[in-house]
């Protein structure tokens, strides 16, 4: 297993090749408990993490998380993140988009879409494999992309809602088990684990839909 050579925190430029003396790389924690804590603080701080290969540099940990040998303590959680240094160099459109919340953005998209008119010949301009015929206008082609994206977003939204319902249902079952029988601890632990897994899955979906909603508005 080889580790990645760069720090996985967004905006951090540290790599194994350019790291100054004193800066070290650390793998992700292996325990489920720490993994969940990390996932929580790292939301929106990095792109998808490959838990086995991704590494983080020591710049993201406060001093209290190191022992005298500069080793990371077991309870260490990354809390120091660069203030998006790359943001200023991004195109103006990206910066404006970044300022909007997810719901503001989808509201904005809906409004804009209502102002546009669907090409009247969209249905006739399509092949059975969901591609435009060669003679359709640019506008029709663009409209088809918008429609596909809209459909994808709706599916992802449904997947998120479904996962949320599952997680809630399982959480309820866990709570009921806790109240009813203490000797069923083992089963409750299993449910807890499933809930955690679903929550992680949910986080991934939310990340995906954020990306996709951004793509839609380009
Ligand atoms: Zn870093």
């Amino acid at each position: 297993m080889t580790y990645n050579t760069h720090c996985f925190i967004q905006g951090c430029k540290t790599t194994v090749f350019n790291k100054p003396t004193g800066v070290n790389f650390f793998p992700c924690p292996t325990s489920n408990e720490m993994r969940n804590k990390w996932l929580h603080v790292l939301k929106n701080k990095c792109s998808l993490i490959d838990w086995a290969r991704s590494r983080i540099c020591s710049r993201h940990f406060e001093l209290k998380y190191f022992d005298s040998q500069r080793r990371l303590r077991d309870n260490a959680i990354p809390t120091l993140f660069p203030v998006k240094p790359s943001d200023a160099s991004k195109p103006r459109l990206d910066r404006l988009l970044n300022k909007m919340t997810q719901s503001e953005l989808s509201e904005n998209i809906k409004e804009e879409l209502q102002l546009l008119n669907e090409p009247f010949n969209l249905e006739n301009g399509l092949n059975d494999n969901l591609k435009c015929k060669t003679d359709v206008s640019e506008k029709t082609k663009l409209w088809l992309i918008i429609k596909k994206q809209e459909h994808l977003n709706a599916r992802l939204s449904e997947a998120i809602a479904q996962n949320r319902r599952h997680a809630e249902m399982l959480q309820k079952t866990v709570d009921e088990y806790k109240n009813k029988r203490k000797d069923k601890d083992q089963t409750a632990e299993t449910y807890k684990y499933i809930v955690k897994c679903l929550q992680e899955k949910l986080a991934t979906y939310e990340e995906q839909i954020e990306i996709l909603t951004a793509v839609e508005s380009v």
Side-chain angles (χ1 to χ4, degrees), residues 22-183:
V23 171
N24 294 308
F25 275 91
F26 300 104
C28 302
T30 47
S31 85
N32 258 336
E33 191 200 348
M34 289 314 290
R35 183 190 160 111
N36 284 330
K37 284 185 181 168
W38 278 43
L39 281 174
H40 185 71
V41 294
L42 291 174
K43 219 176 163 229
N44 305 326
K45 302 287 187 228
C46 54
S47 39
L48 281 183
I49 304 177
D50 177 342
W51 213 255
R53 299 183 61 223
S54 296
R55 283 194 298 177
I56 186 168
C57 77
S58 51
R59 286 174 159 149
H60 310 288
F61 298 95
E62 294 165 54
L63 275 180
K64 63 177 180 183
Y65 288 131
F66 295 101
D67 65 14
S68 54
Q69 250 81 55
R70 286 288 290 170
R71 280 179 311 219
L72 208 54
R73 293 183 197 278
D74 288 341
N75 66 342
I77 295 168
T79 53
L80 311 174
F81 304 106
V83 191
K84 291 191 179 173
S86 55
D87 213 42
S89 62
K90 278 184 183 166
R92 182 161 159 267
L93 176 59
D94 286 336
R95 275 181 281 136
L96 290 172
L97 284 170
N98 280 337
K99 277 188 200 155
M100 294 178 98
T101 66
Q102 206 170 304
S103 52
E104 281 170 348
L105 201 51
S106 52
E107 205 44 52
N108 182 285
I109 291 167
K110 267 183 218 155
E111 276 170 28
E112 304 259 349
L113 280 178
Q114 274 167 9
L115 298 176
L116 295 174
N117 298 317
E118 177 167 332
F120 70 95
N121 59 348
L122 181 63
E123 295 274 333
N124 297 332
L126 290 182
N127 286 331
D128 282 338
N129 56 4
L130 256 183
K131 290 202 171 107
C132 285
K133 290 176 185 166
T134 44
D135 57 342
V136 303
S137 68
E138 286 299 310
K139 191 187 168 190
T140 307
K141 285 179 194 164
L142 286 173
W143 193 266
L144 178 62
I145 294 171
I146 290 170
K147 282 289 167 192
K148 283 180 182 173
Q149 191 67 57
E150 209 183 353
H151 184 81
L152 190 56
N153 281 1
R155 275 197 209 175
L156 282 166
S157 296
E158 176 49 34
I160 288 174
Q162 208 174 46
N163 271 295
R164 199 168 269 151
R165 284 196 295 271
H166 282 170
E168 277 167 11
M169 213 173 65
L170 286 163
Q171 185 64 56
K172 229 177 107 184
T173 318
V174 171
D175 292 342
E176 277 167 13
Y177 260 104
K178 262 191 196 163
N179 295 339
K180 273 184 195 164
R181 292 180 179 190
K182 293 285 176 202
D183 63 330

Side-chain angles (χ1 to χ4, degrees), residues 7 12 14 57 60:
C7 176
C12 179
T14 314
C57 77
H60 310 288

